[in-house]
Amino acid sequence: MRRADRLFQIVQYLRGGRLLTAATLAERLEVTKRTIYRDVADLIGSGVPIEGEAGVGYVMRAGYDLPPLMFNSEEIVALVAGARMIRAWGGAQMAAAAEEALVKIEAVLPDDARTKAASVPVHALAMGDLSDEVRALIDRIEAAADGSIRLDIDYADQYGVSSSRVIRPLGLWFWGKVWTVVAWCELREGFRMFRLDRIKGVDELGPFKPEKGKTLRDFYVSPDARRPDVST
């Protein structure tokens, strides 16, 4: 990570009046505490209103570097509700990012909008339906879809019969307690949807190049999108 990017991330982490130690910042940014001490000192020297000290933690006064964002009431409800749902039902990294997004949304809103965000009557609770393994798998497959990485998966159908599939993950769909991955299945030579809670093992096979007829756009216009059966 470039130093300029790291300094920007430190400011983002400290926004919203949260107290964070140098150790926490160092862990998140994958650098040493000594680097954090030096970066924070440079930020303070440049006028960023960070308070605190080594061994105690750092906090930034509210109101610094507010971006020119404004949301109407309906947009606030959508943003907060969506973040809460991902926090409850997304992958582990997604949930952490949703929590961070909620803090940032609150930090950039004026007082009246902040009050609205805090009072959004839409909540989502994790009921234990997603195991830690499935949450980690959600993040891993999302990253594979984003990076166009072929996957070799061990998959169990609804009867528990296992098979090995090589897939090109294209996107994730959430059905309410159940996540599926939309993929091009090289075994079946067609689009298939696989339940993540039935995937028992994953190996990465390297990148793939999008091919005509095998992309997510092609899936949306195919008959498979109109009858999205989960692969068995």
Side-chain angles (χ1 to χ4, degrees):
M1 179 185 294
R2 296 182 308 165
R3 184 165 187 268
D5 294 332
R6 189 173 67 246
L7 294 174
F8 175 79
Q9 286 298 325
I10 291 174
V11 171
Q12 296 307 305
Y13 282 132
L14 294 178
R15 288 175 64 177
R18 290 169 296 169
L19 179 70
L20 295 177
T21 64
T24 298
L25 291 169
E27 181 180 358
R28 293 185 180 183
L29 296 171
E30 299 180 345
V31 296
T32 65
K33 289 193 294 183
R34 183 182 298 274
T35 298
I36 296 298
Y37 295 149
R38 184 174 61 249
D39 288 347
V40 170
D42 289 344
L43 286 169
I44 293 173
S46 66
V48 179
I50 297 175
E51 299 175 350
E53 59 183 89
V56 177
Y58 299 103
V59 65
M60 187 167 64
R61 293 194 301 272
Y64 175 75
D65 191 25
L66 296 182
L69 295 177
M70 180 58 66
F71 302 110
N72 62 34
S73 179
E74 291 77 14
E75 291 167 343
I76 290 173
V77 170
L79 287 169
V80 172
R84 287 174 179 173
M85 289 179 183
I86 287 295
R87 183 175 59 184
W89 295 102
Q93 293 180 14
M94 286 184 187
E99 179 67 29
E100 188 71 19
L102 286 170
V103 173
K104 290 181 179 178
I105 289 170
E106 181 178 356
V108 302
L109 294 176
D111 291 342
D112 57 341
R114 187 179 299 114
T115 300
K116 175 61 180 179
S119 63
V120 170
V122 180
H123 301 275
L125 300 176
M127 304 299 292
D129 299 83
L130 292 181
S131 66
D132 292 340
E133 291 76 12
V134 172
R135 283 185 178 271
L137 187 61
I138 293 171
D139 291 326
R140 187 173 181 184
I141 292 184
E142 187 279 327
D146 184 59
S148 298
I149 304 296
R150 292 170 68 238
L151 299 175
D152 185 351
I153 65 172
D154 293 326
Y155 189 74
D157 66 17
Q158 59 184 321
Y159 303 108
V161 178
S162 298
S163 63
S164 179
R165 306 288 186 96
V166 175
I167 65 172
R168 301 182 179 190
L170 303 174
L172 291 170
W173 285 20
F174 181 58
W175 299 84
K177 297 187 178 182
V178 174
W179 285 86
T180 60
V181 55
V182 179
W184 177 264
C185 177
E186 296 187 2
L187 176 66
R188 303 301 186 191
E189 280 295 309
F191 295 110
R192 292 292 188 274
M193 300 183 71
F194 300 91
R195 283 181 55 151
L196 268 62
D197 58 349
R198 294 180 182 171
I199 296 177
K200 306 308 178 183
V202 179
D203 289 315
E204 296 183 3
L205 300 179
F208 66 86
K209 293 183 178 180
E211 296 181 35
K212 185 177 181 181
K214 301 179 181 180
T215 68
L216 190 60
R217 182 184 297 273
D218 296 314
F219 169 77
Y220 285 140
V221 299
S222 72
D224 299 287
R226 292 188 287 275
R227 50 176 181 80
D229 297 329
V230 175
S231 181
T232 59

